[in-house]
Each structure stands twice: as C-alpha cells, then as structure tokens.
C-alpha cells in the first residue's frame, strides 16, 4: 500500500482545499478558449460569425430568455450580494481572479440585464452597477463564462439557491445566438449530429473497436464476454460516453459493465446511432440542441426494440439522463415500467451485488487504498436509487463492496460540496489547460490530504470528463496518471465470472493479485 | 400640510409596494421552468420541498452551512426586523392584540439586534475585499437606509420624545382614509420618510429576494424526474422530432 508518488514539490498544493487567495484582478483575463468555425456554429443552427447587429440581437435574446426561463429571470433579480458564494468556486480558488467568484461571474451579465431591462438600471445605472453592452463586455462574457464548469457548487452555498450554472448556460446561448461559439463544444455537437458520438467514430470503426475489446476480455478471463452492438431485441440498451471506447481508464470501466451484464445473464446492446451518452447541448445552454441529441436515444431504443435504458459512467450525461431525458425525449411508455427509466449502471451493479448474483473477490483490489471523487453533475444535478442522497451512497456502496480499503476526502470537498474536477462544462480542451490545472487545485489538495493521512493511492470517479481531466492534470501535481480509476474498473477486477480460469476463482487468497 | 404630504406619500408607497411586488411575483409565477433543475440532493416529495423551504426561511440553512459570519449578521437583522415589525402592529390596531402587547419589550431589544446585524453586514461590505468587490452603491445605500430607519426610530424613544398617542391616531385615521394631524418631530418625519422609501424601492430592487426565494427552481422543485414526466409550457409548442432512425444517417 504505497502512498501516492509525489514527485512534485508541495507548494503546488494549498494548505487546505479552502484557502482563499487575495484578489488578483485580471489574473485569468488572458485565458481564452478557441472560437468555433462558422461551419460548427451553423450546424447547430447559430449564425456562423459575429452578426453586424449583434448588440440588438444579444439584448433581445437576453429578454427572450428571461421571459422563457424562470431560473434565469429569478436569479438575475434576487441576488443580494451577500458574498456567501464568493469563496466557493474552484476556479476562483485556483486563479484568484475576482471575476471567477460566482456572484461576480453572474454580474457580468446581470449588469447588462439591469441596464436594458430594469427601472433602476435604465435611469440610475451608476447606482446599481448597470452597464452598456459593448464589444469589450461581450469578450469578457466569452472569457469568463468559459471559466465556469456549471458545477453548481456555488448554488448550494447561496441563501436563495442562485445557480450560476443557469446564468452561464444562458450567457453561452446568447453568445451562440450572435455567432460567437466555442470551438470545443460546438465542434463536438456538430460531430455527434453526423456520426452519433462526440468522437466522430463511424459504426464500422466502433464495431472493430468493440471486437478488439472482446478479445482482450477473453484473453484475460478465458470466458467469451460479449460487447454487443446494434442487437435488435436485446433487453437493455447501454448508453455510455464514447470515451469508454478509447480512453484510459474509461475502457476498463466499459469492460466492467460487460462483465456485470455477462454475470447477470441479461441481454444488452450498444447502439451505433446513439453511441454517446454525453450531451454538450447542456453546456451551451441550448434546449433545442440538447433535445436533438437526447432524441437519438429514444430513436435508438425504439429501433432496437429494447425494454430498458441504462447509462454508463458519465457525469453531465447522467444529469441530462436522470433529470431531463424524460422531458426531452419522453414519454418512454414503450419501455418496461418496472425499472427506472433511465437507470444508472451503478444502480444495476449494486442490485446485482446486493442480491448476491455477482461473485466478488474483494481481495483482488487489495493493492488499492481508494477514495472517491463525487462528480459535480451527479452530485448536484441528479440522483440514484430511491433515497435522497443516493447519488453519494450508491457509488460508495459499490466501491466498498468490491474493495477493502476506502477513505473519504475532507467532508466539505465531497458529496453536495464536491469540487469540480476542473474540466467540466465544456472546458475539457487543451486550450484551457492552464485553467484546468488551476481549477483542479482544491481537489488535488484534498486528495493529497487523504494520501498523506490514510495512504490513499487511487481515486475512483464515474464521469468520463473527470477521468480524462484527472489523467491529464494529476501528473502536474506529481500523481501518476493512473491514480484515477473507473468505479467499474474496480468492479471488473473483483468480479469472478462463471467458468473463469484462474487460481483466484477457485481459492481466493489475500496475497495474490490478479 | 406635512400631514397631507405624508399621507399621500404613504398611500403611494403602499400601492407601489403591493402592486409592484404583486406584478413581479405574477411574472415569476408565469415564467415557465424549462427543465427539472432542483439542486440535489433534493426532496423526492412535495412535503420534503416544503420542509426544505421552511428550514431555509426559519434557519437560513444554506447560509448557515456556507458562511457563519454572514449568517449571524443576516439572522440578527432579519429576525430582529420581524419582531420589530410585529411590535409596530400596535400603531395599527385598536384595541392592541394581546400578543402584540406581550412582545413590546422584546421588540425594543430586537431593534438593537437588527442594528447590530446591519452594522455587521455593512462592516463586511466595507472591509472584506471580496464583498467590497461585488458591492454597488445601491448595496451600501440599502443598508444605510435600514440603519437610518432603526436609528430614527430609537431617536423618538431616547432622544426627542414623540407623541405616540397622536401618531397612532394619525395612522388609524389613514387606514380609514382620514387625514389627521401628524406630530412633526424631526426623528418621526425621517423615520416615516425612510420607511416609505424602502416600500417604494422594494419591488424594483434586490429586496425582491424575499418573494424571489420561493420561486428559485433550485430549491423549490421536487426531485422526481424519472417518475413523473415534466414538460414546460414553453416546450409544448416545439415542433415534434421524427420518430425512427433516418436511413441516410449512417456512415
Ligand atoms: S457553477 Fe461552479 S464553476 Fe460556475 S461559478 Fe459556480 S462554482 Fe464556479
Ligand atoms: S450567495 Fe447568492 S445572494 Fe449571496 S452573493 Fe452569491 S449569488 Fe448573490
């Protein structure tokens, strides 16, 4: 049980995850993400380039959103500037830029809203900090609304529940509507509309990839575990982030789902038409795009004639699935109503574990001392199981069922107060690497604490974005990149399949590791 | 003359407060919520939501968890003010309700709590760099106005005694649309004018946080998206999307 490998010097970290930096105005002003090309904007139904009359369009859009969306309207009106949220954002803690304080981030837009839509702002702008919409303001929006991962950590802190994520989504929608899109998000949505997934992977390539993975599984276990694609009449449609097909440690999670389904003896399939759980429509605040992306899942489920839909490990995808799918692509009256629609893979796995159908050898994970990172969208935008807070307890129950060593991180950095990994909300792009590293600082500090105090050497997560972000950012903090694991990777390690040829299968012993 | 000016002022302020706030509340209520967006963990039942909101209103639960200093000052101020307001009912009721009579001494103390809370909030706004950064002139003025209200109120009691009996007669008269004689001591005039100002700006300022709290989807929505399909008014008019997979799509 070696503690984490810490090559880096300690001043990369904070003294504790909550240390508030002195304000440094403009510290993060030059951190800009690439803008989308015209073809990406147009594929999403937005103008390709900045409109000539962008100002009028933006102001009109703002009014339209306030009329259409109660959250946006109420949150713009009710902030009392109490300051309770000011120290809650990981990007503020990491960059020290005051415009990354949640209320200041909201104010970038609120100040303009007040100018054009409120009595006080129209007649006494200086009194209430109202300002005209100018090109500089638009640029500032682009910069700072792309330094918010829409994680909602600030909303938990606010006495009025003001959710900066909603403001941030609206701001991005306004930007898109005048022709200023972000390359990363818009390019990905455009790709998905063409191919069914964020990677732009066509069905043939996907099939070949899955075959390779099946071979790996058979080599490892000696059992023919299948990863079916486009099987009509299967019971379960698995919707999983496309990173599960390619990236590490995501793939190990996918192998875990396959083993669980195999053991459970259910028939399941992936779909090449809806080969993506992620839905970046949420990040850009576009109801229409989010709906279109979600709709593919309905189409695939109907086309394949499945009875259930299960989602793989992905944070914002689970928020869209759990909270929005029924709204956007329902009603799902053609599915089996005896199961939650949709269900999370962890809910499925926990059922299998608790019913004793899954054979587990916990000792196979004995080299790991685990901790768990609650992904922001799962923690604050969704739920699992049928008890309040299930989204915290179900993953932990699964980890503890397959692992002997587990320690939680500092209480105010987990569960409903979890920090974002630093790469959520459409920020998982190399052009924002500096911001991603800084935004991960509180989490990395909390991890270092449990590593120092409890010898924790691995952190599990159930979000494709978290996993990619941590694999990239952890080395900057001196952790090995494989310190981040999929929860189903742990499950995969510990599950013993029927007919699996290995010593451990017959006589599980603590010394041996697979 | 002054009696009439203040009578008009109070009628106008009352109408603006009620109509303005009512219109805003109606606007909030009529604006659709697009999606299920409670901040979780959220209650799975309506009852749970009522309890969640009660905890927010009675204890300022979220604020308590997120910032103890702001919580102490805000709590002192708001609940101090609540008691003070209830105490003031005695100027508008005749005979005075028994429980209003009962809380009179507490109401006096509560005024101090209110002032202390306001002072704490003001100090934070001035001296805490993060809060100073997000403050506009109106944020300071709002606190100053409230402090002026408390200060002028106490002045009547401790500095320049005001004829309370005459004041009460004037107020009861106003309620029956009769304009009597208002005692014209300076603290009273300041007190009443600042209260009227507060009433007038209520619907067009951040004071709307009070009713707004009950319209925040993050706190007021039930977490039951999987069990009960939620569709907003706005989304019902969207054009339908095609069922079935278009064949040209593949590849
Ligand atoms: S939603 Fe998250 S990232 Fe955005 S301002 Fe709030 S805490 Fe920061
Ligand atoms: S906690 Fe809420 S009310 Fe207070 S400053 Fe932040 S957003 Fe505004």
């Amino acid at each position: 049980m070696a503690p984490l490998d810490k090559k880096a010097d300690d001043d990369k970290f904070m003294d504790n995850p909550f240390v508030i930096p002195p304000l440094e105005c403009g510290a993060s002003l030059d951190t800009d993400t690439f803008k989308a090309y015209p073809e990406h904007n147009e594929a999403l139904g937005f103008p390709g380039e900045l409109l000539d009359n962008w100002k009028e369009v933006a102001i009109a859009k703002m009014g339209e959103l306030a009329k259409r969306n109660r959250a946006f309207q109420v949150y713009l009106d009710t902030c009392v500037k109490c300051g309770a949220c000011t120290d809650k954002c990981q990007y503020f803690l990491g960059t020290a830029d005051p415009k990354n304080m949640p209320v200041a981030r909201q104010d970038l837009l609120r100040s303009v809203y007040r100018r054009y839509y409120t009595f006080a702002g129209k007649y006494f702008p200086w009194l209430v900090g109202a300002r005209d919409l100018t090109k500089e303001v638009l640029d500032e929006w682009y910069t700072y609304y792309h330094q918010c991962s829409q994680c909602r950590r600030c909303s938990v802190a606010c006495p009025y529940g003001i959710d900066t994520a909603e403001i941030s989504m609206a701001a991005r929608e306004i930007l898109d509507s005048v022709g200023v899109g972000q390359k990363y998000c818009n390019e990905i949505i455009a790709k998905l509309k063409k191919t069914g997934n964020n990677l732009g992977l066509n069905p043939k390539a996907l099939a070949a990839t899955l075959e390779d993975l099946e071979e790996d599984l058979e080599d490892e276990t000696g059992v023919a575990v299948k990863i079916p694609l486009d099987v009509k009449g299967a019971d379960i449609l698995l919707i999983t982030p496309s990173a599960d097909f390619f990236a590490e440690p995501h793939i190990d999670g996918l192998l875990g789902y396959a083993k669980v389904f195999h053991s459970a003896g259910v028939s399941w399939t992936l779909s090449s038409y809806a080969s993506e759980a992620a839905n970046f429509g949420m990040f850009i605040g576009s109801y229409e795009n989010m709906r279109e992306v979600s709709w593919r899942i309905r189409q695939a489920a109907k086309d394949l004639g499945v009875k259930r839909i299960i989602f793989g490990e992905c944070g914002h995808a689970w928020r869209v699935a759990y909270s929005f799918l029924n709204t956007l692509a329902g009603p799902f009256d053609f599915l089996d109503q005896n199961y939650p629609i949709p269900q999370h893979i962890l809910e499925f796995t926990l059922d299998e574990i608790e019913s004793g159908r899954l054979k587990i050898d916990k000792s196979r994970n004995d080299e790991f001392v685990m901790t768990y990172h609650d992904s922001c969208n799962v923690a604050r935008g969704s739920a699992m199981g049928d008890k309040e807070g299930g989204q915290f307890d179900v993953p932990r129950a699964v980890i503890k069922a397959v692992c002997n060593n587990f320690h939680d991180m500092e209480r105010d950095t987990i569960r409903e107060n979890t920090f974002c990994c630093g790469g959520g909300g459409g920020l998982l792009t190399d052009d924002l690497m500096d911001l991603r590293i800084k935004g991960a600082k509180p989490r990395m500090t909390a991890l270092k604490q449990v590593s120092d105090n409890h010898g924790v050497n691995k952190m599990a997560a159930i979000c494709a974005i978290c996993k990619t972000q941590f694999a990239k950012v952890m080395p900057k903090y001196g952790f090995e990149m494989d310190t981040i694991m999929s929860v189903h990777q742990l499950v995969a390690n510990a599950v013993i399949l029927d007919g699996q040829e290995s010593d451990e299968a017959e006589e599980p012993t603590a010394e041996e590791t697979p | 003359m002054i009696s009439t000016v203040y009578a008009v002022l109070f009628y106008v302020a009352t109408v603006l407060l009620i109509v303005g706030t009512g219109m805003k509340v109606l606007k909030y209520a009529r604006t659709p919520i697009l999606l299920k967006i409670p901040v979780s963990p959220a209650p799975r039942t309506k009852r749970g939501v009522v309890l969640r909101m009660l905890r927010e209103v009675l204890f300022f639960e979220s604020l308590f968890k997120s910032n103890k200093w702001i919580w102490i000052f805000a709590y002192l101020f708001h609940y101090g003010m609540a008691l003070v307001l209830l105490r003031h009912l005695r100027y508008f009721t005749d005979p005075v309700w028994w429980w209003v009579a009962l809380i009179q001494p507490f109401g006096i103390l509560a005024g101090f709590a209110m002032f202390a809370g306001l002072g704490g909030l003001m100090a934070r706004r001035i001296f805490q760099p993060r809060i100073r950064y997000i403050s506009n002139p109106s944020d300071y003025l709002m606190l100053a106005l409230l402090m002026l209200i408390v200060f002028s109120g106490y002045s009547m009691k401790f500095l320049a005694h005001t004829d309370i009996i005459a004041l009460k007669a004037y107020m009861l008269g106003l309620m029956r649309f009769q304009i009597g004689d208002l005692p014209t001591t300076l603290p009273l005039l300041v007190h009443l004018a600042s209260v009227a100002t507060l009433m007038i700006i209520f619907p067009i300022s951040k004071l709307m946080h009070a009713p707004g709290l009950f319209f925040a989807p993050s706190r007021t929505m039930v977490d039951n998206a999987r069990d009960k399909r939620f569709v907003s008014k706005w989304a019902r008019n969207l054009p339908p999307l095609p069922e079935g997979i278009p064949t040209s799509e593949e590849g």
Side-chain angles (χ1 to χ4, degrees):
Chain A
M1 280 181 243
L4 285 162
D5 174 40
K6 286 185 287 288
K7 280 173 290 187
D9 46 313
D10 277 0
D11 44 79
K12 286 231 157 80
F13 298 95
M14 309 151 88
D15 288 339
N16 66 63
F18 314 108
V19 175
I20 304 169
L23 305 187
E24 252 179 75
C25 289
S28 211
L29 184 64
D30 297 327
T31 310
D32 251 337
T33 178
F34 297 153
K35 296 206 169 104
Y37 300 124
E39 73 250 38
H40 301 136
N41 289 340
E42 280 155 13
L44 274 57
F46 302 125
E49 287 173 342
L50 185 65
L51 297 171
D52 291 335
N53 62 340
W54 61 270
K55 198 172 149 182
E56 291 75 49
V57 175
I59 293 168
K61 186 79 189 173
M62 188 183 286
E64 181 195 324
L65 291 181
K67 266 213 190 83
R68 175 214 289 187
N69 181 352
R70 186 187 299 175
F72 186 56
Q73 170 75 71
V74 171
Y75 298 159
L76 283 175
D77 276 5
T78 51
C79 174
V80 299
K81 312 287 175 79
C82 72
C85 60
T86 51
D87 58 347
K88 299 300 184 282
C89 178
Q90 54 278 339
Y91 295 109
F92 169 65
L93 296 179
T95 65
D97 190 320
K99 288 189 175 142
N100 276 330
M101 298 190 297
V103 43
R105 197 190 303 291
Q106 299 159 21
D107 273 351
L108 299 175
L109 203 141
R110 185 180 284 118
S111 55
V112 175
Y113 173 81
R114 284 188 171 165
R115 183 77 182 94
Y116 298 98
Y117 289 101
T118 68
F119 177 85
K122 273 182 206 160
Y123 302 104
F124 310 96
W126 52 274
L127 194 62
V128 292
R131 54 179 187 165
D132 289 324
L133 180 55
T134 61
K135 188 67 183 30
E136 286 72 50
V137 171
L138 196 78
D139 291 343
E140 204 181 38
W141 285 359
Y142 187 80
T143 302
Y144 289 102
Y145 286 116
H146 288 103
Q147 298 193 18
C148 167
S149 60
Q150 308 171 343
C151 75
R152 311 180 107 194
R153 189 168 194 268
C154 48
S155 178
V156 172
C158 175
Y160 313 108
I162 295 174
D163 182 2
T164 315
E166 287 294 322
I167 309 271
S168 176
M169 288 170 190
R172 292 188 193 178
E173 188 169 17
I174 295 169
L175 286 164
D176 272 325
S177 74
V178 297
V180 188
Q182 184 214 19
K183 178 168 180 280
Y184 177 65
C185 279
N186 290 9
E187 188 176 13
I188 276 182
I189 300 173
K191 246 190 252 170
L192 184 144
K193 289 193 184 188
K194 244 196 189 142
T195 60
N197 55 65
N198 288 359
L199 296 170
L201 191 63
N202 67 42
K204 260 197 218 114
L206 178 57
T209 306
L210 296 180
E211 261 166 48
D212 287 349
L213 292 178
E214 283 177 344
E215 269 170 38
D216 292 350
L217 267 174
E218 186 153 0
D219 287 349
E220 182 213 322
T221 61
V223 182
V225 178
K226 293 287 160 215
I227 307 181
L229 180 68
D230 292 331
V231 177
K232 293 221 177 195
D235 281 344
I236 295 171
L237 169 62
L238 178 75
I239 304 286
T240 206
S242 56
D244 283 4
F245 308 133
F246 270 96
E248 282 293 351
H250 312 57
I251 296 182
D252 304 294
L254 177 65
L255 301 182
Y257 321 148
K259 283 186 177 180
V260 171
F261 285 139
H262 178 92
S263 287
V266 293
S267 74
W268 67 288
T269 184
L270 290 158
S271 154
S272 60
Y273 181 74
S275 43
E276 181 62 69
N279 191 332
F280 281 28
M282 180 171 91
F283 297 156
I284 62 167
S286 165
Y287 189 101
E288 291 87 344
N289 277 287
M290 185 160 56
R291 176 170 176 245
E292 252 182 78
V293 173
S294 296
W295 196 260
R296 300 180 78 96
I297 295 168
R298 177 190 179 88
Q299 289 171 304
K302 271 202 159 166
D303 181 58
L304 295 168
V306 297
K307 298 195 184 82
R308 305 166 62 179
I309 298 176
I310 293 185
F311 272 74
E313 297 182 3
C314 184
H316 82 281
W318 182 239
R319 181 175 181 201
V320 177
Y322 176 91
S323 298
F324 308 156
L325 195 68
N326 204 357
T327 301
L328 296 170
F332 289 100
D333 38 16
F334 55 93
L335 296 177
D336 187 339
Q337 304 295 315
N338 292 316
Y339 299 96
I341 305 169
Q343 195 173 24
H344 195 282
I345 184 71
L346 277 166
E347 295 176 311
F348 182 88
T349 300
L350 188 61
D351 274 353
E352 292 300 310
I353 291 172
E354 284 178 346
S355 66
R357 282 190 291 272
L358 221 51
K359 259 195 273 168
I360 304 279
D361 177 6
K362 278 177 132 178
S363 68
R364 291 171 169 211
N365 282 319
D366 273 355
E367 61 182 306
F368 304 137
V369 185
M370 298 304 308
T371 193
Y372 175 69
H373 165 79
D374 289 279
S375 298
C376 54
N377 274 296
V378 175
R380 291 184 286 261
S382 76
M384 282 181 206
D386 30 60
K387 277 197 227 65
E388 202 177 309
Q391 68 270 40
F392 312 128
D393 301 330
V394 170
R396 285 177 173 77
V398 169
I399 295 174
K400 287 177 186 162
V402 297
C403 245
N404 281 314
N405 315 305
F406 180 85
H407 291 278
D408 258 323
M409 287 176 279
E410 161 88 41
R411 179 62 180 84
D412 282 343
T413 74
I414 56 168
R415 299 172 76 95
E416 73 277 13
N417 286 318
T418 189
F419 282 108
C420 162
C421 62
L427 309 184
L428 191 75
T429 165
D430 283 348
D431 36 295
L432 286 175
M433 191 47 87
D434 182 51
L435 179 79
R436 286 165 54 187
I437 295 169
K438 289 175 177 160
K441 209 173 176 185
R443 171 50 78 228
M444 291 295 98
T445 302
L447 175 61
K448 179 169 179 294
Q449 289 177 331
V450 277
S451 157
D452 289 349
N453 301 337
H454 300 284
V456 164
N457 58 12
K458 297 280 172 186
M459 180 167 81
I462 54 166
C463 168
I465 288 176
C466 294
K467 292 174 200 170
T468 304
Q469 156 77 352
F470 286 132
K472 234 349 190 323
V473 163
M474 280 177 155
K476 312 275 189 217
Y477 286 88
F479 302 123
E480 295 291 341
M481 68 181 277
D482 65 1
T483 304
I484 181 70
M485 295 177 80
S486 297
V487 169
H488 271 79
Q489 181 178 357
L490 294 165
V491 176
N493 288 344
V495 162
I496 303 162
L497 303 174
D498 276 343
Q500 185 165 352
E501 307 151 7
S502 76
D503 319 340
E504 294 94 336
E506 271 101 54
E507 286 169 52
T509 49
E511 308 86 65
E512 286 169 292
T513 40
Chain B
M1 178 61 194
I2 287 189
S3 301
T4 318
V5 169
Y6 269 77
V8 172
L9 181 63
F10 265 91
Y11 287 135
V12 170
T14 309
V15 169
L16 285 178
L17 173 69
I18 293 172
V19 175
T21 308
M23 273 167 50
K24 276 269 167 77
V25 164
L26 262 185
K27 182 165 85 172
Y28 295 160
R30 286 197 183 135
T31 308
I33 302 180
L34 295 187
L35 290 160
K36 271 280 177 187
I37 49 172
V39 170
S40 49
R44 305 278 174 107
T45 59
K46 276 214 179 99
R47 209 184 99 97
V49 167
V50 171
L51 289 177
R52 182 185 202 175
M53 292 311 290
L54 268 179
R55 289 198 307 273
E56 287 298 342
V57 173
L58 293 179
F59 309 119
F60 298 4
E61 184 184 33
S62 300
L63 188 58
F64 180 77
K65 287 182 187 161
S66 61
N67 192 314
K68 300 284 184 285
W69 280 114
I70 305 178
W71 180 84
I72 289 175
F73 295 137
Y75 207 82
L76 279 175
F77 159 50
H78 281 91
Y79 276 89
M81 183 173 66
L83 263 179
V84 167
L85 282 176
L86 291 176
R87 193 189 87 93
H88 276 67
L89 280 177
R90 79 171 170 139
Y91 300 117
F92 303 94
T93 50
D94 192 33
V96 174
W97 301 330
W98 65 268
W99 59 269
V100 175
L102 198 75
I103 61 169
Q104 290 306 309
F106 304 106
I108 300 279
L109 283 176
F112 286 110
M114 185 178 163
F115 201 77
L118 286 167
L121 292 174
M122 183 68 114
R124 281 189 68 82
R125 212 173 269 298
I126 294 171
F127 297 115
Q128 162 58 259
R130 277 175 292 129
I131 303 186
R132 188 165 62 224
Y133 182 89
I134 57 168
S135 297
N136 294 127
S138 58
D139 298 311
Y140 297 100
L141 286 177
M142 197 76 79
L143 289 173
L145 179 65
L146 283 156
M147 289 169 95
L148 180 66
I149 292 176
V150 183
F151 182 77
S152 55
Y154 276 127
S155 308
M156 282 182 264
K157 191 157 196 72
F158 300 120
L159 296 179
H161 196 77
T162 303
D163 185 350
I164 296 296
I165 313 277
L167 170 66
K168 180 163 180 174
Y170 176 77
M171 282 301 168
L172 288 172
L174 283 190
M175 290 170 69
R176 275 177 270 114
F177 299 101
Q178 290 160 4
I179 302 172
D181 281 332
L182 180 67
T184 51
T185 56
L186 186 67
L188 177 65
L189 294 184
V190 172
H191 190 67
L192 293 182
S194 45
V195 169
T197 309
L198 194 76
M199 289 164 71
I200 290 169
I201 59 176
F202 190 97
I204 52 167
S205 69
K206 66 175 185 178
L207 297 179
M208 282 302 289
H209 69 277
L213 171 66
F214 300 96
F215 292 92
S218 53
R219 296 271 158 77
T220 54
M221 292 187 93
V222 182
D223 173 16
N224 61 358
R226 288 196 290 191
D227 305 328
K228 211 168 156 231
R229 181 154 187 251
F230 172 86
V231 185
S232 79
K233 292 191 281 205
W234 174 81
R236 277 181 216 135
N237 303 320
L238 289 176
L241 294 174
E243 297 277 353
I245 297 179
T247 40
S248 60
E249 184 82 31
E250 310 287 316

